[in-house]
Amino acid sequence: MIEVVLNDRLGKKVRVKCNEDDTICDLKKLVAAQTGTRADKSRIQKWSNIYKDHITLKDYEIHDGMGLELYYN
Amino acid sequence: MANRTDPAAKSIRGTNPQNLVEKILRSKIYQNTYWKEQCFGLTAETLVDKAMELDHLGGTHGGNRKPTPFMCLVMKMLQIQPEKEIVIEFIKNDDYKYVRILGAFYLRLTGTDVDVYRYLEPLYNDYRKLRQKLPEGKFSLTHVDEVIDELLTKDYSCDIALPRIKKRWTLETLGSLEPRRSVLEDDFEEEEEKEENDQLDGLEDEAHEKDYYRGRSPARERDRDRRRDRDRYRERDYDRDYDRDYDRERGRGRDRDRDRERDRDRDRDRDRDRDRDRDRYRLRDEKDYGRDRERDREWEGRERERRDRDRGRRRSHSRSRSRSRDRKDREGGEHRKRHARSSTSPRRRDGAEENGTREEPKKKKERKEKKEDGTDHPDPEIAEANRLRASLGLKPLK
């Protein structure tokens, strides 16, 4: 179980608990549950790498406490 | 300048019609090449030409959320705001299904509640296939009536939040709309009438049964006459039939049994025809479980009555021969029972059988699931997180 920090640079900063083998899509669902936006409207990035929905956090090498950027579509 | 709404356009729901599409999606559409090249300076007429060239519908797709041409045309319609008659023409046209969907979508966004229901519900009868682009970029198959259903029931479609409309029953109670009349309603009414007729027949047979036991009654005489006519060429049987009613209680002799079996077979043929007709109807609307249940009840009523009739007849002393015959008949009856039952919804029979056995593994599963879900984790935070995950359909935290 890892905890990831999502920051949207506009005031929303959420900490989300998830498993390593969750996909980005699942992470978006968890974020949507916490922030209130729609899951398919959000976009998770690291610099200019847009993270794809079907890949797991483990494959993206996202570790505990790492910060990700939250953008909207 | 190209992105300004037509100054003569009315405001929709209190705002610029283009604001129905949210800001991010709107900017994406303005930056799209299809919008810039094809949608520049379109009027209502030229819009129709562009709409006829559409070959798929959808919202945005891909990593950077590229809008589809369908979305761009919706945006254009919001921008120029065509007349209501034109939109209705779009919907009524039969040749181009994507033009129809475009008109329906626009009406859903901009029309009043009554208009939306009035013009979109006839489209439920259109079963044509449509190509839909999914957010991942792949295409999927859908149908016109599915899309219309989405528009009328959900509040989000093609990446646009659909404006709220009143529920249908609210409008019905207000009197603005008539109750929903489906095209299939006539077919259902026919089925129901046939159902009722079958049921009435079943009731008549049961009435016959009661008369049978009471002895000589007009109903019984009618049956006797029927059988008598049938064995006109068999005088022996005629006498025996006549005698049978007097001697039923005593149950004399094997010959009587033989005649009884023979008559029973004849009756069974009649019933089998009736069953076959009934099964045909049964197979046609297997989905209507309530109706199936009624038919089962009626069928079982007939079985019971047949069994009773047989029981009454079998009160003979000559058991050896009748027993073998009875066994065959019994098996034949059961075979038919099994056959008839298999054409009804098998759920019922299986449900009755497995209910007992299912309860135990269910209890075990529940006990296990509590642990698997992790919702009863000692740490309340984690328990809550697991509850959320379970509601989203994810496995619990490790």
Side-chain angles (χ1 to χ4, degrees):
Chain A
M1 178 184 91
I2 58 176
E3 195 170 24
V4 184
V5 185
L6 280 283
N7 190 353
D8 109 322
R9 306 272 167 156
L10 294 169
K12 263 193 209 145
K13 194 163 174 178
V14 283
R15 301 174 73 86
V16 179
K17 283 189 178 53
C18 49
N19 284 335
E20 274 185 335
D21 55 359
D22 280 344
T23 59
I24 294 283
C25 183
D26 300 336
L27 183 61
K28 283 186 186 174
K29 285 187 200 165
L30 290 167
V31 171
Q34 265 188 273
T35 59
T37 55
R38 289 182 70 97
D40 51 356
K41 287 278 174 194
S42 58
R43 198 169 76 208
I44 297 177
Q45 278 184 239
K46 185 96 180 146
W47 272 103
S48 56
N49 297 328
I50 303 177
Y51 282 178
K52 295 206 166 53
D53 280 354
H54 55 278
I55 300 182
T56 62
L57 298 184
K58 193 162 139 214
D59 291 337
Y60 271 130
E61 298 194 2
I62 295 173
H63 304 299
D64 190 21
M66 216 158 124
L68 296 174
E69 290 153 37
L70 182 65
Y71 289 94
Y72 298 102
N73 273 326
Chain B
M1 293 299 136
N3 296 335
R4 282 268 180 84
T5 320
D6 182 28
K10 297 180 289 183
S11 74
I12 304 246
R13 296 175 204 272
T15 176
N16 187 345
Q18 290 197 78
N19 287 353
L20 282 172
V21 179
E22 18 174 74
K23 180 87 172 75
I24 296 176
L25 180 56
R26 221 185 313 147
S27 358
K28 289 248 163 69
I29 292 179
Y30 293 155
Q31 290 158 14
N32 190 5
T33 39
Y34 184 82
W35 172 268
K36 288 182 187 170
E37 291 170 5
Q38 318 285 345
C39 297
F40 183 78
L42 278 187
T43 61
E45 296 88 36
T46 44
L47 186 100
V48 184
D49 301 330
K50 287 276 180 241
M52 292 196 306
E53 289 166 21
L54 276 177
D55 69 342
H56 65 273
L57 73 134
T60 55
H61 64 273
N64 53 353
R65 287 282 172 255
K66 189 167 170 237
T68 58
F70 181 79
M71 292 266 62
C72 298
L73 286 178
V74 171
M75 194 64 175
K76 198 69 196 178
M77 285 182 83
L78 285 171
Q79 194 181 28
I80 60 177
Q81 205 169 74
E83 305 278 313
K84 190 171 154 193
E85 289 82 33
I86 300 181
V87 181
I88 292 172
E89 272 312 307
F90 272 33
I91 295 176
K92 283 205 179 133
N93 115 89
D94 213 20
D95 306 321
Y96 297 96
K97 44 194 179 181
Y98 290 103
V99 176
R100 201 171 227 192
I101 289 285
L102 185 68
F105 200 86
Y106 179 78
L107 186 67
R108 173 66 175 86
L109 289 178
T110 58
T112 60
D113 305 351
V114 181
D115 282 342
V116 166
Y117 283 113
R118 196 186 301 154
Y119 292 113
L120 259 49
E121 271 181 0
L123 294 184
Y124 268 128
N125 304 325
D126 191 345
Y127 302 127
R128 288 181 287 189
K129 296 186 194 165
L130 291 174
R131 198 185 294 145
Q132 187 179 37
K133 193 142 194 175
L134 298 172
E136 293 93 51
K138 296 179 205 159
F139 286 105
S140 83
L141 176 69
T142 181
H143 298 85
V144 175
D145 52 344
E146 284 177 34
V147 176
I148 300 292
D149 192 44
E150 249 188 50
L151 288 181
L152 286 179
T153 50
K154 305 224 179 86
D155 60 347
Y156 199 79
S157 172
C158 287
D159 281 351
I160 294 183
L162 304 174
R164 299 267 165 84
I165 50 172
K166 294 195 193 74
K167 298 245 182 244
R168 199 170 205 293
W169 61 267
T170 318
L171 292 172
E172 280 172 28
T173 48
L174 283 178
S176 332
L177 273 183
E178 292 159 4
R180 169 119 186 266
R181 228 199 120 73
S182 145
V183 173
L184 299 172
E185 207 167 304
D186 296 329
D187 294 344
F188 281 145
E189 277 174 13
E190 271 178 36
E191 286 296 320
E192 277 180 27
E193 277 174 23
K194 279 187 190 136
E195 254 288 299
E196 284 174 21
N197 288 341
D198 284 346
Q199 272 192 1
L200 282 173
D201 286 343
L203 286 172
E204 276 175 17
D205 278 358
E206 286 175 7
H208 276 289
E209 255 301 294
K210 287 193 202 119
D211 294 339
Y212 184 89
Y213 279 109
R214 250 181 259 133
R216 275 151 273 144
S217 71
R220 195 73 210 116
E221 304 218 347
R222 220 182 301 142
D223 277 357
R224 216 188 316 141
D225 288 342
R226 229 181 280 151
R227 263 186 231 113
R228 210 181 295 155
D229 289 340
R230 231 180 285 143
D231 349 332
R232 225 176 304 137
Y233 59 95
R234 274 203 227 140
E235 295 239 335
R236 262 190 322 149
D237 295 345
Y238 165 91
D239 287 335
R240 291 232 179 79
D241 282 346
Y242 195 87
D243 287 343
R244 191 195 327 154
D245 291 319
Y246 286 94
D247 299 329
R248 193 177 30 88
E249 298 294 324
R250 316 249 184 81
R252 251 194 283 153
R254 285 181 209 142
D255 298 342
R256 213 139 280 141
D257 282 347
R258 208 188 313 143
D259 290 334
R260 280 183 215 143
E261 322 287 354
R262 221 177 282 145
D263 289 343
R264 214 183 309 146
D265 287 345
R266 242 177 275 127
D267 285 355
R268 202 176 292 136
D269 282 359
R270 211 188 330 142
D271 285 353
R272 205 182 291 145
D273 287 351
R274 229 180 285 148
D275 282 349
R276 212 180 294 142
D277 287 347
R278 216 178 323 122
D279 284 348
R280 220 181 292 141
Y281 293 134
R282 210 178 276 155
L283 288 170
R284 225 199 283 164
D285 50 6
E286 264 192 354
K287 280 193 191 157
D288 198 346
Y289 295 128
R291 221 173 277 158
D292 273 347
R293 235 171 274 139
E294 272 182 23
R295 283 216 193 90
D296 276 356
R297 241 177 277 135
E298 175 216 308
W299 196 96
E300 280 169 12
R302 276 184 206 244
E303 258 295 303
R304 218 177 300 128
E305 142 221 337
R306 203 182 294 123
R307 243 180 280 136
D308 290 345
R309 218 185 294 155
D310 292 348
R311 216 178 294 141
R313 283 193 205 149
R314 274 194 220 121
R315 244 182 263 154
S316 70
H317 295 298
S318 58
R319 286 197 204 123
S320 54
R321 216 184 189 185
S322 54
R323 204 187 293 153
S324 60
R325 283 258 171 72
D326 288 350
R327 212 176 294 139
K328 220 190 293 170
D329 289 340
R330 220 177 288 136
E331 282 178 9
E334 276 184 14
H335 165 76
R336 262 179 58 252
K337 205 193 287 186
R338 223 177 290 134
H339 166 77
R341 277 242 181 97
S342 67
S343 67
T344 61
S345 51
R347 275 166 65 257
R348 258 196 91 224
R349 182 163 48 110
D350 292 343
E353 285 175 0
E354 294 183 20
N355 252 341
T357 52
R358 268 221 180 120
E359 282 186 34
E360 289 187 17
K362 240 193 216 172
K363 281 183 193 156
K364 282 190 197 155
K365 246 194 188 178
E366 277 178 20
R367 251 177 266 135
K368 255 193 187 175
E369 269 199 59
K370 275 187 191 157
K371 292 180 190 165
E372 275 181 14
D373 252 0
T375 45
D376 58 347
H377 204 273
D379 189 357
E381 274 186 35
I382 297 187
E384 211 195 294
N386 280 334
R387 223 175 295 134
L388 172 66
R389 289 178 72 97
S391 70
L392 289 174
L394 303 172
K395 289 198 195 131
L397 292 172
K398 292 180 191 158

